[in-house]
Amino acid sequence: MLIPLGILAASGGVPAKPAFDLIQSTTLSVNTRTVAFNNIPQTYRHLQFVATAKVDGGAIVRAQLRINGDNNPSAAAGSLGSFGGAPAGEILTGFESWIRTAQFINAGFSGGIQANWQGTLLDYSLTAKGKSFISREGVAVPTVERVGLGFGYKDLSSAVTSLEFYFDFNSWLSGSTFSLYGIKG
Amino acid sequence: MTNTFTPLANTTLAVAASQITFGNIPFYRRYYVVADNLLAVTTAVALRVIFNNNPNLGVTNVRAWGTGSVVSADVTNLGFMETSIATSTLASGRASWQADIVANGHSLGVNAFLSRSNGRAEFTYGRLNDGVTMNAITFQLPGSNFGIGTNFAIYGII
C-alpha cells in the first residue's frame, strides 16, 4: 500500500504561542570574511543558526564562531567527522579564542561547493553560566564529502549579544545565506 | 521577528505501507522532518529517502555511524539517500529519525540534508545536484514495509 500525502495547507495545529522565530537572515551580495549578527534580542532561551554557504580557496578550511567579539582564550571545542572513511575527532582546548566546529571544503569547483552548517547556542541570555554550543555540518558532491558534529563551551558570564562567522584567511562567497533563529523555552 | 515554524503534514499509519510520500510541498527555505516509532514489518536495515518521485535523481550521501564500540562511515552516489538503522530497533518500532533539509534554491539551487537515528547513532549529509528544488519526498524501507504506528511529520521553516 502506498500512502501519498498531498500538502494543500498547514495541518496539525498551530502553536498557541510562537516558540521559534526568525530573528535575522542575510544572503551575501559580495564575498566577505566575516558575517555578523549584532544586537541579538535577549527574549529567547536558545539561539539556532543555519548557514548554507560556499567558501573560496582550494583546501579544507575551518569556520569559526566568535561570541561578543571576545578574543580571550576561554573557549573549548571539539568535533567528530568523516570524509567517508573512519570518523576522526579533535579537541581544541586552552588556547582557543573562538569556538571552532565546522569545516567547509572547496576542491576547485567553480564558485565553490555549498555546505550546510547549523548549530544551537544554549542559554545564551543567562549571565550565571557559560555557554554551550552544538552543531552539525556537511558537504557532499562526488569525491568531496564530509559529515561532522561539533561542540563547544565558552566560559562567558555575560549574555550573548553578537555572533560572528569568521575565517582567518578565506571568504564566504556571494550567495551564501546565514539565518539566526530564537527558540523560546 | 517572525514565527516561522509551520506544520505541513503529519501521518500515523493505520495500516502497513510500502512507502510514504509528502507531495505538493510548498517552498520554504528549510524543512524539518521527523519520523517516530519507525517499525519494519519484516527485516530492514535502512531508511531510503527519494526526492521528487525520482529514484534516479543525483544524490551524494556521506554518513558515519557507531554501534557503541565500532564506528564506520561510507559514501554513496546513488539516485536517493539511505540512512542505515539497526535492524533490532526497526523490528521493535523503536527507531526515530529526523532531518533538516535546506532548500536554498533561490540562489544556489541545492537541497541539503542532515539526519540522525537511534539504536545505532548516525549522522548523514546528502546533497542533490545543483538546480533541483524539492517538491516531494518519499520514504521507503527497502525489502520491507512500514508497520502500523509509524509516524512521519514535516514542517516548513522560513
Side-chain angles (χ1 to χ4, degrees):
Chain A
M1 181 176 183
L2 307 179
I3 305 292
L5 299 167
I7 298 172
L8 299 178
S11 61
V14 176
K17 185 171 68 173
F20 191 94
D21 294 339
L22 175 63
I23 297 174
Q24 188 177 349
S25 183
T26 182
T27 298
L28 301 181
S29 58
V30 296
N31 300 349
T32 181
R33 281 180 58 190
T34 302
V35 174
F37 291 108
N38 297 313
N39 303 314
I40 297 172
Q42 302 297 304
T43 52
Y44 300 94
R45 178 70 182 271
H46 311 298
L47 294 176
Q48 183 187 82
F49 75 85
V50 176
T52 53
K54 295 180 178 180
V55 60
D56 64 3
I60 299 170
V61 293
R62 182 179 287 117
Q64 303 177 39
L65 176 64
R66 180 161 53 187
I67 298 173
N68 290 358
D70 184 1
N71 292 331
N72 292 319
S74 57
S79 69
L80 174 66
S82 169
F83 293 91
E90 65 174 347
I91 298 292
L92 305 166
T93 59
F95 60 91
E96 290 299 313
S97 300
W98 307 315
I99 293 173
R100 297 182 171 204
T101 54
Q103 289 183 315
F104 285 75
I105 302 169
N106 184 302
F109 284 67
S110 176
I113 304 168
Q114 177 168 295
N116 174 256
W117 182 26
Q118 55 193 103
T120 303
L121 190 62
L122 303 174
D123 288 332
Y124 77 100
S125 62
L126 298 186
T127 58
K129 58 179 290 190
K131 308 299 183 293
S132 296
F133 173 78
I134 53 176
S135 71
R136 295 182 285 171
E137 35 112 345
V139 61
V141 296
T143 73
V144 181
E145 306 92 359
R146 174 183 158 83
V147 63
L149 302 175
F151 65 91
Y153 179 81
K154 175 79 171 175
D155 187 12
L156 181 70
S157 58
S158 58
V160 175
T161 58
S162 73
L163 296 175
E164 296 171 84
F165 302 92
Y166 178 87
F167 284 116
D168 282 328
F169 304 107
N170 297 82
S171 294
W172 304 106
L173 294 182
S174 173
S176 297
T177 297
F178 296 79
S179 299
L180 184 67
Y181 299 85
I183 304 172
K184 294 182 179 178
Chain B
M1 274 70 76
T2 305
N3 176 44
T4 60
F5 206 101
T6 302
L8 298 176
N10 191 323
T11 184
T12 300
L13 295 184
V15 296
S18 60
Q19 66 180 33
I20 295 170
T21 296
F22 293 129
N24 301 319
I25 298 174
F27 179 79
Y28 280 82
R29 182 180 297 166
R30 296 172 56 198
Y31 301 93
Y32 176 64
V33 181
V34 58
D36 196 15
N37 297 320
L38 276 171
L39 174 65
V41 174
T42 56
T43 300
V45 296
L47 174 68
R48 180 172 295 176
V49 184
I50 297 171
F51 298 97
N52 296 356
N53 301 302
N54 184 356
N56 298 311
L57 210 57
V59 177
T60 299
N61 190 73
V62 55
R63 61 187 184 182
W65 65 90
T67 58
S69 59
V70 178
V71 292
S72 306
D74 66 11
V75 172
T76 58
N77 291 289
L78 304 172
F80 45 80
M81 297 187 67
E82 279 195 351
T83 296
S84 62
I85 301 178
T87 301
S88 60
T89 57
L90 275 175
S92 60
R94 288 185 286 112
S96 63
W97 175 88
Q98 52 190 294
D100 290 278
I101 301 172
V102 179
N104 199 11
H106 60 286
S107 61
L108 299 171
V110 172
N111 293 282
F113 188 101
L114 291 153
S115 73
R116 55 186 181 270
S117 59
N118 67 4
R120 108 181 2 184
E122 172 164 339
F123 45 112
T124 305
Y125 182 82
R127 181 181 182 276
L128 296 179
N129 289 335
D130 282 352
V132 176
T133 299
M134 184 182 75
N135 54 48
I137 185 169
T138 298
F139 305 95
Q140 298 176 342
L141 294 174
S144 185
N145 289 331
F146 292 108
I148 295 171
T150 296
N151 172 262
F152 278 88
I154 184 170
Y155 302 82
I157 305 173
I158 292 177

